[in-house]
Amino acid sequence: MLKLFAAIVKDLRLLLRDKAALAVMFAMPVLLVILITSIQNSTFKLVNDNKVSLLICNQDSGNSSILLIDALGKIGMFEITKADSALNEEALIKLMHNREALVAIVIPSGFSDQLEAKSNSVASKALSELGMTAEEKNALTEEKVFPHNLRMYYNPVLQEAFRLSVKGALRSAQQFTENRQVVEALYSSLSNKEVPAELQNQLMNNQTFIEEIPASKDGSRALPNVTQHNVPAWTLFAMFFIVVSLSTNIVKEKLSGSFIRLKTLPTGYFMVLAAKQITYILVTLLQTLVIFSIGIFLFPFFGLPALVLPTYLWSLVLVSVCCGWCAVSYGQVLGVYAKTMEMAIGFGAVSVVILAAVGGIIVPSFAMPASMKYVMMLSPLHWCLGAYQTIFLSGGTGSDVLASLLPLIIIIVLLQAVAMIGLRKQKLL
């Protein structure tokens, strides 16, 4: 036990001398988790606090276009600016760039007239089908009447997912306007009077609200926020970047002949490997503690939601230990098979970024194409992230956590076996 403790102290001293490695393991992940979470939080809140700038070029003089603009304003997603109706397409695009507007909408001339004709057609056909009108089908119902198309211009920097959400909001406002016109046409056909304002509000604003409920296994109804997603994910990224320090440490010992000298001592190299693994697992736990503490105590000062720890803290410790052990095992394999320090540094850093991208850290796993689903399962980061998500997002219980950790434990055993095989082939054991 004393020899093991002495080996751990030796590895800690070597690690403390490597200032660059400490910066990679602690400073870089801290900055990364703050920056990424801030950016994503701003993106998620774009529809609430930071509204989308919207230019509206209204070339129509009717009432329907006014109702459409009013409906867009009530959605709460847009900061509306009205442009000159005489602008052509080139001038409108130039104005978008000058005012940094992400979206512009052109309401064409005759939009209200065409929409009113369509509404009258729908109302007349509905009454005819119900047998409430003497006319079989008037001329309006014999031909399809469509309002002139709206034109939406968008900045090319706007990502497709967000562009589709903007288009959906526009479609919702347009549908609201059309429904209102149909209601007015039906009421007018039945009573020859305009719809009273109070009745119109009741008909058009009587919406059923949607209650959002996360499907958590612990019954919690708290909505997961951007912090719950990002802090565990980028903590894993930090954990796996210790492979650079660990692998170069092992390569340095191989090149300096330390392995050969250790074989002449009355202690086995298994003890030395155990000391290295314990040392670096402790480092990963320290990384977890630092980054999680930042999420809990420092994030609110940046205007970010605080990290909420899971109900079962023992599961958090167990998952963190297993994830750290997996990162250490991977670093050990790289150190055993790398022949130079440059190879260990280059391959280690690049491979961690690739494994993070494939594993769902950089790009969410649900957004990946079907062809990547099987490749994703080869990344240990995928299983590590799944274990964290089980306790942070799904509210997993003890059995759920253990089920998530089972593939991770299998990967650890395989990595340890591959490292031992490499050491034996190189006659270092």
Side-chain angles (χ1 to χ4, degrees):
M1 184 61 69
L2 185 60
K3 293 178 182 179
L4 178 63
F5 179 74
I8 293 174
V9 172
K10 184 264 296 183
D11 285 319
L12 283 174
R13 287 178 176 176
L14 289 175
L15 184 60
L16 290 174
R17 293 173 189 169
D18 194 350
K19 307 300 182 185
L22 290 175
V24 169
M25 288 188 289
F26 288 96
M28 183 194 71
V30 167
L31 291 175
L32 201 59
V33 73
I34 293 175
L35 289 174
I36 297 295
T37 307
S38 299
I39 292 170
Q40 290 194 358
N41 188 61
S42 297
T43 303
F44 293 154
K45 294 171 64 177
L46 187 60
V47 296
N48 296 321
D49 299 335
N50 305 321
K51 297 183 179 181
V52 179
S53 52
L54 173 65
L55 273 176
I56 294 182
C57 179
N58 186 10
Q59 300 173 352
D60 182 69
S61 57
N63 187 51
S64 296
S65 58
I66 298 174
L67 293 176
L68 177 63
I69 296 173
D70 185 57
L72 286 170
K74 289 180 179 179
I75 289 176
M77 183 178 181
F78 304 106
E79 182 180 347
I80 297 176
T81 303
K82 294 182 180 180
D84 188 354
S85 60
L87 289 179
N88 56 26
E89 181 176 326
E90 183 179 351
L92 180 63
I93 293 175
K94 184 177 180 181
L95 184 62
M96 284 180 65
H97 288 286
N98 290 341
R99 297 194 179 183
E100 298 182 352
L102 294 176
V103 184
I105 294 173
V106 175
I107 304 176
S109 176
F111 175 81
S112 295
D113 294 337
Q114 289 290 317
L115 189 60
E116 184 179 354
K118 179 184 177 182
S119 302
N120 290 334
S121 173
V122 173
S124 178
K125 185 175 181 180
L127 293 175
S128 177
E129 293 293 335
L130 292 172
M132 298 180 66
T133 174
E135 301 179 2
E136 294 293 331
K137 287 184 180 180
N138 59 20
L140 285 174
T141 62
E142 293 176 357
E143 58 177 341
K144 293 183 178 179
V145 182
F146 297 102
H148 294 314
N149 292 331
L150 298 174
R151 297 198 300 275
M152 184 181 83
Y153 297 86
Y154 64 92
N155 195 311
V157 303
L158 202 63
Q159 294 184 354
E160 183 178 4
F162 195 76
R163 176 176 60 82
L164 291 175
S165 67
V166 171
K167 186 177 178 180
L170 174 60
R171 193 181 300 277
S172 175
Q174 184 179 3
Q175 189 67 44
F176 176 86
T177 305
E178 292 179 3
N179 290 343
R180 180 168 177 171
Q181 291 283 71
V182 170
V183 169
E184 290 179 353
L186 284 171
Y187 192 88
S188 176
S189 299
L190 292 172
S191 63
N192 293 322
K193 294 188 297 184
E194 292 186 357
V195 185
E198 183 178 353
L199 177 59
Q200 190 175 78
N201 288 332
Q202 290 178 353
L203 291 173
M204 302 308 302
N205 298 323
N206 188 23
Q207 297 180 348
T208 301
F209 292 98
I210 300 174
E211 183 181 1
E212 297 181 71
I213 303 174
S216 302
K217 295 180 180 180
D218 61 355
S220 172
R221 295 204 168 195
L223 295 176
N225 52 51
V226 67
T227 301
Q228 304 295 102
H229 284 274
N230 277 278
V231 171
W234 294 104
T235 300
L236 287 172
F237 194 69
M239 282 185 184
F240 273 79
F241 250 97
I242 69 164
V243 303
V244 176
S245 176
L246 177 55
S247 59
T248 54
N249 188 309
I250 295 175
V251 171
K252 191 184 300 182
E253 289 185 350
K254 288 195 302 182
L255 296 177
S256 65
S258 298
F259 278 18
I260 305 300
R261 290 195 295 272
L262 283 170
K263 294 179 72 174
T264 65
L265 298 177
T267 183
Y269 189 66
F270 284 109
M271 188 272 294
V272 177
L273 286 178
K276 287 186 182 297
Q277 293 195 39
I278 292 173
T279 301
Y280 281 89
I281 288 174
L282 291 175
V283 171
T284 60
L285 292 178
L286 182 59
Q287 288 176 310
T288 305
L289 179 62
V290 170
I291 298 176
F292 280 20
S293 298
I294 289 173
I296 295 171
F297 301 109
L298 193 59
F299 270 23
F301 290 99
F302 291 100
L304 300 171
L307 179 68
V308 179
L309 294 178
T311 305
Y312 306 102
L313 290 180
W314 67 267
S315 62
L316 177 60
V317 175
L318 179 60
V319 170
S320 299
V321 170
C322 290
C323 292
W325 194 9
C326 185
V328 170
S329 301
Y330 181 58
Q332 182 176 283
V333 170
L334 289 182
V336 168
Y337 286 92
K339 296 181 179 180
T340 63
M341 293 179 60
E342 290 77 11
M343 183 185 297
I345 295 172
F347 184 82
V350 173
S351 65
V352 168
V353 174
I354 293 174
L355 290 174
V358 173
I361 302 293
I362 299 176
V363 179
S365 56
F366 64 82
M368 291 187 181
S371 58
M372 293 295 295
K373 299 296 183 181
Y374 297 104
V375 179
M376 179 175 59
M377 295 182 181
L378 299 176
S379 172
L381 279 158
H382 167 70
W383 301 107
C384 292
L385 182 61
Y388 268 127
Q389 287 178 340
T390 298
I391 58 176
F392 272 100
L393 303 178
S394 301
T397 58
S399 58
D400 298 317
V401 173
L402 294 176
S404 299
L405 289 179
L406 183 59
L408 190 58
I409 293 172
I410 294 174
I411 292 175
I412 293 172
V413 172
L414 291 175
L415 290 173
Q416 294 286 337
V418 170
M420 293 300 107
I421 292 172
L423 288 172
R424 290 189 180 279
K425 283 187 175 181
Q426 298 174 34
K427 298 181 180 180
L428 297 172
L429 284 181

